[in-house]
Amino acid sequence: GGACWLVQRLRLDARLVRSRDTILILLLTSFVGSLIVAVLTIGVFTLDKDISLLTNNFILNTLNFWAGDATGVAMLAPVLLIWFRSWLPSSKPLTVSATPLTRLAVLERVLQFVFLGFTVWLGYGRESVGLLNYSYGVFLPLLWIGMRSGFVVSAWAVLVLNLLVTLAVNFKVTDPEVVALQFNLMMSSYAALLLGTVSSDLKYKSEKLRDVAYRDALTGLLNRAGFLNVLETARNKAFAVLFIKPSA
């Protein structure tokens, strides 16, 4: 709800391609908003029981509540905004062209999520041996997904990551481990979303520069450079060119 309100109030693009949109959504809803809710919720709950608990477990409980709530928002808000973006009246169309997925791109995405599942099992599904901790291995597939596939796929990867970790730990962690687990997931989710939006932002700017270079600013039609680029691309294919000479 907060993310949808921000889209309308601050005129953010619901497609969340620009880094400004995603950073504001994460900062105001997941980071700041969740922290305010955590302080108020734990504060009211503690005062209702025993005021002396404010100095004992207030900070730890607040951090625990905030990390879990922030992770939940970062996990669900981007996916929901992407899923329902066509229903938001403030959404503005972008000029980024949708590139069709090739077989190689589909195979790469399958491998990305398989690798993500493997690192989740390696870090959370197995018992730790001594001081070894493989939970930070999930950053590797998240980096791969963010750099290669952009923000939309990163948002789904964050959702899959949190669901797989929940299934892997099977709610068998102790209270101190819960705080560390939630902060680990929160940082992983933020890193994946921010890297994905930067990657998509670069792609968006690249498409804009390509339009400026190859299309007329007034009509949107191909200019001379764009026409020559099309000819160069189709040089090894059978094609025909029709020249229309204006009458005198």
mmCIF file of all heavy atoms in Angstrom, residues 88-133:
data_model
loop_
_atom_site.group_PDB
_atom_site.id
_atom_site.type_symbol
_atom_site.label_atom_id
_atom_site.label_comp_id
_atom_site.label_asym_id
_atom_site.label_seq_id
_atom_site.Cartn_x
_atom_site.Cartn_y
_atom_site.Cartn_z
ATOM 1 N N LEU A 88 -1.805 0.967 -12.598
ATOM 2 C CA LEU A 88 -1.527 2.204 -11.877
ATOM 3 C C LEU A 88 -1.682 3.394 -12.807
ATOM 4 O O LEU A 88 -1.027 3.480 -13.841
ATOM 5 C CB LEU A 88 -0.113 2.182 -11.296
ATOM 6 C CG LEU A 88 0.139 1.106 -10.240
ATOM 7 C CD1 LEU A 88 1.600 1.093 -9.846
ATOM 8 C CD2 LEU A 88 -0.739 1.321 -9.030
ATOM 9 N N PRO A 89 -2.561 4.355 -12.473
ATOM 10 C CA PRO A 89 -2.827 5.470 -13.395
ATOM 11 C C PRO A 89 -1.648 6.401 -13.594
ATOM 12 O O PRO A 89 -1.573 7.106 -14.577
ATOM 13 C CB PRO A 89 -3.994 6.210 -12.716
ATOM 14 C CG PRO A 89 -3.877 5.851 -11.267
ATOM 15 C CD PRO A 89 -3.351 4.448 -11.236
ATOM 16 N N SER A 90 -0.700 6.427 -12.663
ATOM 17 C CA SER A 90 0.430 7.338 -12.778
ATOM 18 C C SER A 90 1.582 6.760 -13.587
ATOM 19 O O SER A 90 2.592 7.404 -13.770
ATOM 20 C CB SER A 90 0.951 7.718 -11.385
ATOM 21 O OG SER A 90 1.382 6.562 -10.693
ATOM 22 N N SER A 91 1.431 5.512 -14.032
ATOM 23 C CA SER A 91 2.505 4.894 -14.797
ATOM 24 C C SER A 91 2.652 5.567 -16.151
ATOM 25 O O SER A 91 1.682 5.770 -16.865
ATOM 26 C CB SER A 91 2.222 3.404 -14.983
ATOM 27 O OG SER A 91 3.233 2.805 -15.733
ATOM 28 N N LYS A 92 3.895 5.912 -16.498
ATOM 29 C CA LYS A 92 4.172 6.556 -17.775
ATOM 30 C C LYS A 92 4.872 5.566 -18.692
ATOM 31 O O LYS A 92 5.750 4.832 -18.263
ATOM 32 C CB LYS A 92 5.062 7.788 -17.560
ATOM 33 C CG LYS A 92 4.418 8.850 -16.693
ATOM 34 C CD LYS A 92 5.357 10.033 -16.506
ATOM 35 C CE LYS A 92 4.721 11.088 -15.614
ATOM 36 N NZ LYS A 92 5.618 12.248 -15.415
ATOM 37 N N PRO A 93 4.482 5.560 -19.978
ATOM 38 C CA PRO A 93 5.135 4.627 -20.905
ATOM 39 C C PRO A 93 6.591 4.982 -21.125
ATOM 40 O O PRO A 93 6.982 6.139 -21.149
ATOM 41 C CB PRO A 93 4.314 4.798 -22.195
ATOM 42 C CG PRO A 93 3.730 6.174 -22.088
ATOM 43 C CD PRO A 93 3.478 6.405 -20.628
ATOM 44 N N LEU A 94 7.403 3.954 -21.261
ATOM 45 C CA LEU A 94 8.822 4.141 -21.514
ATOM 46 C C LEU A 94 9.146 3.759 -22.952
ATOM 47 O O LEU A 94 8.411 3.021 -23.594
ATOM 48 C CB LEU A 94 9.656 3.284 -20.548
ATOM 49 C CG LEU A 94 9.550 3.646 -19.073
ATOM 50 C CD1 LEU A 94 10.374 2.673 -18.263
ATOM 51 C CD2 LEU A 94 10.002 5.062 -18.814
ATOM 52 N N THR A 95 10.250 4.263 -23.429
ATOM 53 C CA THR A 95 10.652 3.979 -24.804
ATOM 54 C C THR A 95 11.568 2.770 -24.913
ATOM 55 O O THR A 95 12.077 2.482 -25.982
ATOM 56 C CB THR A 95 11.392 5.195 -25.394
ATOM 57 O OG1 THR A 95 12.525 5.503 -24.576
ATOM 58 C CG2 THR A 95 10.472 6.395 -25.459
ATOM 59 N N VAL A 96 11.788 2.081 -23.801
ATOM 60 C CA VAL A 96 12.652 0.910 -23.852
ATOM 61 C C VAL A 96 11.940 -0.208 -24.604
ATOM 62 O O VAL A 96 10.817 -0.568 -24.274
ATOM 63 C CB VAL A 96 13.013 0.439 -22.425
ATOM 64 C CG1 VAL A 96 13.874 -0.810 -22.494
ATOM 65 C CG2 VAL A 96 13.725 1.544 -21.684
ATOM 66 N N SER A 97 12.583 -0.730 -25.610
ATOM 67 C CA SER A 97 11.988 -1.799 -26.391
ATOM 68 C C SER A 97 12.162 -3.129 -25.670
ATOM 69 O O SER A 97 13.193 -3.400 -25.076
ATOM 70 C CB SER A 97 12.644 -1.883 -27.777
ATOM 71 O OG SER A 97 14.038 -2.085 -27.645
ATOM 72 N N ALA A 98 11.110 -3.952 -25.731
ATOM 73 C CA ALA A 98 11.159 -5.265 -25.103
ATOM 74 C C ALA A 98 11.918 -6.227 -26.011
ATOM 75 O O ALA A 98 11.463 -6.568 -27.096
ATOM 76 C CB ALA A 98 9.746 -5.773 -24.842
ATOM 77 N N THR A 99 13.082 -6.649 -25.585
ATOM 78 C CA THR A 99 13.906 -7.538 -26.384
ATOM 79 C C THR A 99 13.405 -8.964 -26.226
ATOM 80 O O THR A 99 13.305 -9.471 -25.106
ATOM 81 C CB THR A 99 15.375 -7.456 -25.930
ATOM 82 O OG1 THR A 99 15.802 -6.102 -25.993
ATOM 83 C CG2 THR A 99 16.250 -8.316 -26.813
ATOM 84 N N PRO A 100 13.056 -9.647 -27.322
ATOM 85 C CA PRO A 100 12.599 -11.033 -27.214
ATOM 86 C C PRO A 100 13.709 -11.934 -26.703
ATOM 87 O O PRO A 100 14.879 -11.777 -27.054
ATOM 88 C CB PRO A 100 12.196 -11.382 -28.657
ATOM 89 C CG PRO A 100 12.957 -10.425 -29.513
ATOM 90 C CD PRO A 100 13.079 -9.162 -28.716
ATOM 91 N N LEU A 101 13.329 -12.889 -25.878
ATOM 92 C CA LEU A 101 14.300 -13.795 -25.293
ATOM 93 C C LEU A 101 14.708 -14.859 -26.306
ATOM 94 O O LEU A 101 13.858 -15.512 -26.915
ATOM 95 C CB LEU A 101 13.727 -14.457 -24.042
ATOM 96 C CG LEU A 101 13.561 -13.578 -22.800
ATOM 97 C CD1 LEU A 101 12.918 -14.376 -21.683
ATOM 98 C CD2 LEU A 101 14.888 -13.007 -22.354
ATOM 99 N N THR A 102 15.994 -15.026 -26.462
ATOM 100 C CA THR A 102 16.506 -16.110 -27.289
ATOM 101 C C THR A 102 16.614 -17.380 -26.454
ATOM 102 O O THR A 102 16.451 -17.368 -25.230
ATOM 103 C CB THR A 102 17.877 -15.731 -27.860
ATOM 104 O OG1 THR A 102 18.805 -15.540 -26.766
ATOM 105 C CG2 THR A 102 17.796 -14.437 -28.661
ATOM 106 N N ARG A 103 16.892 -18.469 -27.113
ATOM 107 C CA ARG A 103 17.056 -19.729 -26.384
ATOM 108 C C ARG A 103 18.231 -19.660 -25.423
ATOM 109 O O ARG A 103 18.176 -20.207 -24.319
ATOM 110 C CB ARG A 103 17.249 -20.885 -27.373
ATOM 111 C CG ARG A 103 16.015 -21.200 -28.213
ATOM 112 C CD ARG A 103 16.274 -22.400 -29.112
ATOM 113 N NE ARG A 103 15.084 -22.734 -29.892
ATOM 114 C CZ ARG A 103 15.034 -23.728 -30.773
ATOM 115 N NH1 ARG A 103 16.112 -24.500 -30.958
ATOM 116 N NH2 ARG A 103 13.932 -23.973 -31.430
ATOM 117 N N LEU A 104 19.283 -18.979 -25.852
ATOM 118 C CA LEU A 104 20.449 -18.840 -24.987
ATOM 119 C C LEU A 104 20.117 -18.009 -23.754
ATOM 120 O O LEU A 104 20.574 -18.323 -22.635
ATOM 121 C CB LEU A 104 21.597 -18.191 -25.761
ATOM 122 C CG LEU A 104 22.942 -18.083 -25.027
ATOM 123 C CD1 LEU A 104 23.446 -19.467 -24.637
ATOM 124 C CD2 LEU A 104 23.966 -17.356 -25.890
ATOM 125 N N ALA A 105 19.299 -16.947 -23.917
ATOM 126 C CA ALA A 105 18.912 -16.113 -22.777
ATOM 127 C C ALA A 105 18.019 -16.887 -21.812
ATOM 128 O O ALA A 105 18.146 -16.753 -20.587
ATOM 129 C CB ALA A 105 18.195 -14.856 -23.268
ATOM 130 N N VAL A 106 17.104 -17.697 -22.347
ATOM 131 C CA VAL A 106 16.244 -18.517 -21.488
ATOM 132 C C VAL A 106 17.084 -19.531 -20.713
ATOM 133 O O VAL A 106 16.879 -19.746 -19.510
ATOM 134 C CB VAL A 106 15.173 -19.233 -22.337
ATOM 135 C CG1 VAL A 106 14.394 -20.236 -21.479
ATOM 136 C CG2 VAL A 106 14.220 -18.220 -22.961
ATOM 137 N N LEU A 107 18.047 -20.152 -21.395
ATOM 138 C CA LEU A 107 18.925 -21.113 -20.727
ATOM 139 C C LEU A 107 19.730 -20.431 -19.627
ATOM 140 O O LEU A 107 19.917 -21.006 -18.537
ATOM 141 C CB LEU A 107 19.866 -21.749 -21.746
ATOM 142 C CG LEU A 107 20.903 -22.727 -21.193
ATOM 143 C CD1 LEU A 107 20.227 -23.905 -20.507
ATOM 144 C CD2 LEU A 107 21.828 -23.209 -22.301
ATOM 145 N N GLU A 108 20.197 -19.201 -19.896
ATOM 146 C CA GLU A 108 20.969 -18.481 -18.891
ATOM 147 C C GLU A 108 20.123 -18.200 -17.655
ATOM 148 O O GLU A 108 20.598 -18.340 -16.516
ATOM 149 C CB GLU A 108 21.503 -17.176 -19.474
ATOM 150 C CG GLU A 108 22.348 -16.388 -18.475
ATOM 151 C CD GLU A 108 22.862 -15.081 -19.060
ATOM 152 O OE1 GLU A 108 22.409 -14.692 -20.149
ATOM 153 O OE2 GLU A 108 23.719 -14.444 -18.406
ATOM 154 N N ARG A 109 18.875 -17.796 -17.835
ATOM 155 C CA ARG A 109 18.012 -17.510 -16.682
ATOM 156 C C ARG A 109 17.695 -18.769 -15.892
ATOM 157 O O ARG A 109 17.622 -18.729 -14.654
ATOM 158 C CB ARG A 109 16.728 -16.838 -17.160
ATOM 159 C CG ARG A 109 16.966 -15.446 -17.700
ATOM 160 C CD ARG A 109 15.693 -14.667 -17.886
ATOM 161 N NE ARG A 109 15.979 -13.318 -18.377
ATOM 162 C CZ ARG A 109 15.047 -12.421 -18.646
ATOM 163 N NH1 ARG A 109 13.773 -12.715 -18.459
ATOM 164 N NH2 ARG A 109 15.381 -11.220 -19.089
ATOM 165 N N VAL A 110 17.511 -19.879 -16.581
ATOM 166 C CA VAL A 110 17.299 -21.139 -15.871
ATOM 167 C C VAL A 110 18.515 -21.480 -15.031
ATOM 168 O O VAL A 110 18.402 -21.860 -13.853
ATOM 169 C CB VAL A 110 16.977 -22.262 -16.872
ATOM 170 C CG1 VAL A 110 16.963 -23.620 -16.162
ATOM 171 C CG2 VAL A 110 15.631 -22.024 -17.550
ATOM 172 N N LEU A 111 19.693 -21.324 -15.603
ATOM 173 C CA LEU A 111 20.924 -21.602 -14.868
ATOM 174 C C LEU A 111 21.104 -20.641 -13.695
ATOM 175 O O LEU A 111 21.615 -21.036 -12.632
ATOM 176 C CB LEU A 111 22.132 -21.510 -15.804
ATOM 177 C CG LEU A 111 22.239 -22.592 -16.882
ATOM 178 C CD1 LEU A 111 23.429 -22.332 -17.792
ATOM 179 C CD2 LEU A 111 22.333 -23.974 -16.253
ATOM 180 N N GLN A 112 20.689 -19.404 -13.859
ATOM 181 C CA GLN A 112 20.784 -18.431 -12.775
ATOM 182 C C GLN A 112 19.978 -18.880 -11.563
ATOM 183 O O GLN A 112 20.473 -18.850 -10.421
ATOM 184 C CB GLN A 112 20.293 -17.066 -13.260
ATOM 185 C CG GLN A 112 21.249 -16.360 -14.209
ATOM 186 C CD GLN A 112 20.633 -15.118 -14.823
ATOM 187 O OE1 GLN A 112 19.431 -14.897 -14.746
ATOM 188 N NE2 GLN A 112 21.467 -14.289 -15.442
ATOM 189 N N PHE A 113 18.747 -19.319 -11.796
ATOM 190 C CA PHE A 113 17.901 -19.713 -10.677
ATOM 191 C C PHE A 113 18.304 -21.077 -10.120
ATOM 192 O O PHE A 113 18.123 -21.333 -8.924
ATOM 193 C CB PHE A 113 16.427 -19.701 -11.105
ATOM 194 C CG PHE A 113 15.818 -18.331 -11.121
ATOM 195 C CD1 PHE A 113 15.901 -17.526 -12.243
ATOM 196 C CD2 PHE A 113 15.181 -17.830 -9.999
ATOM 197 C CE1 PHE A 113 15.353 -16.264 -12.258
ATOM 198 C CE2 PHE A 113 14.624 -16.564 -9.998
ATOM 199 C CZ PHE A 113 14.719 -15.769 -11.126
ATOM 200 N N VAL A 114 18.832 -21.944 -10.956
ATOM 201 C CA VAL A 114 19.376 -23.208 -10.443
ATOM 202 C C VAL A 114 20.570 -22.937 -9.538
ATOM 203 O O VAL A 114 20.706 -23.533 -8.459
ATOM 204 C CB VAL A 114 19.759 -24.140 -11.606
ATOM 205 C CG1 VAL A 114 20.538 -25.349 -11.091
ATOM 206 C CG2 VAL A 114 18.521 -24.604 -12.354
ATOM 207 N N PHE A 115 21.436 -22.030 -9.966
ATOM 208 C CA PHE A 115 22.587 -21.651 -9.152
ATOM 209 C C PHE A 115 22.137 -21.008 -7.851
ATOM 210 O O PHE A 115 22.715 -21.251 -6.781
ATOM 211 C CB PHE A 115 23.473 -20.697 -9.954
ATOM 212 C CG PHE A 115 24.776 -20.363 -9.291
ATOM 213 C CD1 PHE A 115 25.399 -21.246 -8.408
ATOM 214 C CD2 PHE A 115 25.400 -19.153 -9.555
ATOM 215 C CE1 PHE A 115 26.604 -20.939 -7.804
ATOM 216 C CE2 PHE A 115 26.608 -18.825 -8.950
ATOM 217 C CZ PHE A 115 27.212 -19.728 -8.079
ATOM 218 N N LEU A 116 21.081 -20.192 -7.918
ATOM 219 C CA LEU A 116 20.541 -19.572 -6.701
ATOM 220 C C LEU A 116 20.039 -20.637 -5.734
ATOM 221 O O LEU A 116 20.312 -20.571 -4.523
ATOM 222 C CB LEU A 116 19.416 -18.606 -7.072
ATOM 223 C CG LEU A 116 18.703 -17.905 -5.915
ATOM 224 C CD1 LEU A 116 19.670 -17.023 -5.132
ATOM 225 C CD2 LEU A 116 17.537 -17.067 -6.423
ATOM 226 N N GLY A 117 19.308 -21.614 -6.249
ATOM 227 C CA GLY A 117 18.822 -22.692 -5.392
ATOM 228 C C GLY A 117 19.949 -23.499 -4.779
ATOM 229 O O GLY A 117 19.883 -23.892 -3.605
ATOM 230 N N PHE A 118 21.008 -23.720 -5.548
ATOM 231 C CA PHE A 118 22.152 -24.472 -5.025
ATOM 232 C C PHE A 118 22.850 -23.716 -3.902
ATOM 233 O O PHE A 118 23.208 -24.308 -2.874
ATOM 234 C CB PHE A 118 23.144 -24.761 -6.166
ATOM 235 C CG PHE A 118 24.437 -25.348 -5.694
ATOM 236 C CD1 PHE A 118 24.508 -26.665 -5.274
ATOM 237 C CD2 PHE A 118 25.598 -24.572 -5.663
ATOM 238 C CE1 PHE A 118 25.709 -27.218 -4.837
ATOM 239 C CE2 PHE A 118 26.793 -25.109 -5.222
ATOM 240 C CZ PHE A 118 26.849 -26.436 -4.808
ATOM 241 N N THR A 119 23.055 -22.408 -4.073
ATOM 242 C CA THR A 119 23.720 -21.629 -3.025
ATOM 243 C C THR A 119 22.853 -21.515 -1.774
ATOM 244 O O THR A 119 23.381 -21.461 -0.659
ATOM 245 C CB THR A 119 24.073 -20.233 -3.544
ATOM 246 O OG1 THR A 119 22.889 -19.587 -4.058
ATOM 247 C CG2 THR A 119 25.119 -20.303 -4.645
ATOM 248 N N VAL A 120 21.534 -21.483 -1.940
ATOM 249 C CA VAL A 120 20.649 -21.476 -0.773
ATOM 250 C C VAL A 120 20.778 -22.792 -0.017
ATOM 251 O O VAL A 120 20.874 -22.807 1.219
ATOM 252 C CB VAL A 120 19.192 -21.227 -1.197
ATOM 253 C CG1 VAL A 120 18.242 -21.488 -0.027
ATOM 254 C CG2 VAL A 120 19.009 -19.799 -1.687
ATOM 255 N N TRP A 121 20.783 -23.890 -0.746
ATOM 256 C CA TRP A 121 20.961 -25.194 -0.080
ATOM 257 C C TRP A 121 22.323 -25.275 0.594
ATOM 258 O O TRP A 121 22.447 -25.784 1.710
ATOM 259 C CB TRP A 121 20.829 -26.312 -1.104
ATOM 260 C CG TRP A 121 21.223 -27.651 -0.553
ATOM 261 C CD1 TRP A 121 20.468 -28.477 0.226
ATOM 262 C CD2 TRP A 121 22.492 -28.296 -0.721
ATOM 263 N NE1 TRP A 121 21.185 -29.618 0.556
ATOM 264 C CE2 TRP A 121 22.434 -29.530 -0.015
ATOM 265 C CE3 TRP A 121 23.664 -27.969 -1.398
ATOM 266 C CZ2 TRP A 121 23.508 -30.418 0.021
ATOM 267 C CZ3 TRP A 121 24.736 -28.855 -1.362
ATOM 268 C CH2 TRP A 121 24.650 -30.060 -0.659
ATOM 269 N N LEU A 122 23.361 -24.765 -0.084
ATOM 270 C CA LEU A 122 24.714 -24.831 0.474
ATOM 271 C C LEU A 122 24.844 -23.973 1.724
ATOM 272 O O LEU A 122 25.523 -24.353 2.685
ATOM 273 C CB LEU A 122 25.725 -24.370 -0.581
ATOM 274 C CG LEU A 122 27.211 -24.554 -0.252
ATOM 275 C CD1 LEU A 122 27.549 -26.035 -0.143
ATOM 276 C CD2 LEU A 122 28.072 -23.879 -1.316
ATOM 277 N N GLY A 123 24.184 -22.811 1.738
ATOM 278 C CA GLY A 123 24.338 -21.895 2.862
ATOM 279 C C GLY A 123 23.353 -22.099 3.992
ATOM 280 O O GLY A 123 23.662 -21.803 5.153
ATOM 281 N N TYR A 124 22.148 -22.593 3.660
ATOM 282 C CA TYR A 124 21.102 -22.675 4.684
ATOM 283 C C TYR A 124 20.535 -24.084 4.869
ATOM 284 O O TYR A 124 19.970 -24.385 5.923
ATOM 285 C CB TYR A 124 19.944 -21.743 4.333
ATOM 286 C CG TYR A 124 20.339 -20.292 4.251
ATOM 287 C CD1 TYR A 124 20.677 -19.709 3.037
ATOM 288 C CD2 TYR A 124 20.391 -19.498 5.395
ATOM 289 C CE1 TYR A 124 21.040 -18.367 2.954
ATOM 290 C CE2 TYR A 124 20.750 -18.165 5.325
ATOM 291 C CZ TYR A 124 21.078 -17.610 4.106
ATOM 292 O OH TYR A 124 21.442 -16.293 4.029
ATOM 293 N N GLY A 125 20.663 -24.929 3.876
ATOM 294 C CA GLY A 125 20.071 -26.259 3.971
ATOM 295 C C GLY A 125 20.955 -27.284 4.642
ATOM 296 O O GLY A 125 20.497 -28.347 5.030
ATOM 297 N N ARG A 126 22.246 -26.971 4.773
ATOM 298 C CA ARG A 126 23.186 -27.887 5.401
ATOM 299 C C ARG A 126 23.611 -27.344 6.759
ATOM 300 O O ARG A 126 23.584 -26.152 6.993
ATOM 301 C CB ARG A 126 24.431 -28.068 4.518
ATOM 302 C CG ARG A 126 24.137 -28.631 3.163
ATOM 303 C CD ARG A 126 25.320 -28.479 2.221
ATOM 304 N NE ARG A 126 26.484 -29.230 2.689
ATOM 305 C CZ ARG A 126 27.580 -28.657 3.190
ATOM 306 N NH1 ARG A 126 27.657 -27.330 3.310
ATOM 307 N NH2 ARG A 126 28.604 -29.387 3.585
ATOM 308 N N GLU A 127 24.015 -28.232 7.639
ATOM 309 C CA GLU A 127 24.533 -27.810 8.925
ATOM 310 C C GLU A 127 25.942 -27.245 8.752
ATOM 311 O O GLU A 127 26.755 -27.797 8.010
ATOM 312 C CB GLU A 127 24.561 -28.976 9.918
ATOM 313 C CG GLU A 127 23.179 -29.491 10.294
ATOM 314 C CD GLU A 127 23.259 -30.569 11.351
ATOM 315 O OE1 GLU A 127 24.392 -30.854 11.801
ATOM 316 O OE2 GLU A 127 22.208 -31.121 11.713
ATOM 317 N N SER A 128 26.204 -26.118 9.414
ATOM 318 C CA SER A 128 27.520 -25.477 9.292
ATOM 319 C C SER A 128 28.586 -26.357 9.928
ATOM 320 O O SER A 128 28.358 -27.006 10.950
ATOM 321 C CB SER A 128 27.517 -24.103 9.957
ATOM 322 O OG SER A 128 27.171 -24.221 11.333
ATOM 323 N N VAL A 129 29.765 -26.363 9.321
ATOM 324 C CA VAL A 129 30.887 -27.159 9.820
ATOM 325 C C VAL A 129 31.903 -26.209 10.441
ATOM 326 O O VAL A 129 32.543 -25.420 9.745
ATOM 327 C CB VAL A 129 31.539 -27.966 8.682
ATOM 328 C CG1 VAL A 129 32.702 -28.791 9.221
ATOM 329 C CG2 VAL A 129 30.506 -28.852 8.008
ATOM 330 N N GLY A 130 32.042 -26.274 11.755
ATOM 331 C CA GLY A 130 32.989 -25.405 12.444
ATOM 332 C C GLY A 130 32.634 -23.941 12.240
ATOM 333 O O GLY A 130 31.505 -23.523 12.483
ATOM 334 N N LEU A 131 33.625 -23.156 11.794
ATOM 335 C CA LEU A 131 33.416 -21.733 11.572
ATOM 336 C C LEU A 131 33.025 -21.413 10.133
ATOM 337 O O LEU A 131 32.874 -20.245 9.789
ATOM 338 C CB LEU A 131 34.702 -20.960 11.939
ATOM 339 C CG LEU A 131 35.144 -21.061 13.402
ATOM 340 C CD1 LEU A 131 36.458 -20.308 13.590
ATOM 341 C CD2 LEU A 131 34.075 -20.509 14.337
ATOM 342 N N LEU A 132 32.896 -22.440 9.305
ATOM 343 C CA LEU A 132 32.563 -22.199 7.907
ATOM 344 C C LEU A 132 31.102 -21.785 7.770
ATOM 345 O O LEU A 132 30.215 -22.396 8.359
ATOM 346 C CB LEU A 132 32.827 -23.456 7.080
ATOM 347 C CG LEU A 132 34.291 -23.910 7.004
ATOM 348 C CD1 LEU A 132 34.407 -25.186 6.178
ATOM 349 C CD2 LEU A 132 35.169 -22.815 6.401
ATOM 350 N N ASN A 133 30.865 -20.740 6.976
ATOM 351 C CA ASN A 133 29.515 -20.259 6.744
ATOM 352 C C ASN A 133 29.393 -19.920 5.259
ATOM 353 O O ASN A 133 30.050 -19.016 4.762
ATOM 354 C CB ASN A 133 29.235 -19.015 7.600
ATOM 355 C CG ASN A 133 27.780 -18.588 7.515
ATOM 356 O OD1 ASN A 133 27.025 -19.067 6.674
ATOM 357 N ND2 ASN A 133 27.382 -17.688 8.399
#
